[in-house]
Amino acid sequence: MLKGITFRHKGDFSKTEKFFHCLLKLDYLNVLERYGRAGVSALASVTPKESGLTAASWNYEISHNAKETAITFTNSNIHNGVNIAIILQYGHGTGHGGYVAGRDYINPAIQPIFDKIAEDAWREVTNL
């Protein structure tokens, strides 16, 4: 004779429901705004400043759809179709056949922001 399977649980799903309710309301976008501003500040502070225009041209965009949310940092200082922040990062040729080496200033500046996002997100998920 087969015996039935019994399942019992104690508690409720209120924390899980709260988490999903917050996601539905897109409350996390306000948090990303804070990280966007922090990233712009960090990038501006380390950008080489011959004129200061490239440092002052940092911005961020937050985009989201049903599957993902992204924060993108942009720099609008473009001269003759060339993004100046990119050539400062990776280097560029000169008009006289020379080469100016790039300097990795973007990655070290923005990595702590990404680390903080990951740390805070993990803390939020594990605190549910």
Side-chain angles (χ1 to χ4, degrees):
M1 175 174 226
L2 290 175
K3 293 188 176 187
I5 296 173
T6 303
F7 176 76
R8 294 183 190 174
H9 78 88
K10 198 174 183 181
D12 61 29
F13 292 99
S14 62
K15 290 182 180 181
T16 304
E17 289 171 359
K18 179 183 172 189
F19 173 74
F20 285 119
H21 182 68
C22 289
L23 287 179
L24 288 173
K25 290 188 338 185
L26 300 177
D27 285 346
Y28 66 94
L29 292 179
N30 293 331
V31 174
L32 288 182
E33 292 285 339
R34 184 176 70 229
Y35 292 122
R37 290 188 300 273
V40 166
S41 177
L43 289 164
S45 72
V46 299
T47 301
K49 294 173 180 68
E50 186 172 310
S51 71
L53 181 59
T54 304
S57 298
W58 287 105
N59 205 343
Y60 68 95
E61 299 167 359
I62 296 173
S63 58
H64 61 92
N65 60 34
K67 293 185 180 184
E68 65 184 17
T69 298
I71 184 167
T72 304
F73 293 94
T74 61
N75 192 290
S76 60
N77 185 17
I78 297 174
H79 183 71
N80 292 333
V82 177
N83 186 298
I84 302 304
I86 297 300
I87 66 170
L88 289 172
Q89 172 79 13
Y90 295 109
H92 60 93
T94 66
H96 303 306
Y99 180 76
V100 177
R103 186 176 119 218
D104 185 13
Y105 69 99
I106 294 173
N107 294 311
I110 207 68
Q111 189 61 53
I113 305 298
F114 292 152
D115 292 343
K116 185 73 171 140
I117 291 170
E119 175 187 323
D120 290 352
W122 180 250
R123 186 178 323 108
E124 188 67 28
V125 169
T126 58
N127 284 339
L128 292 177

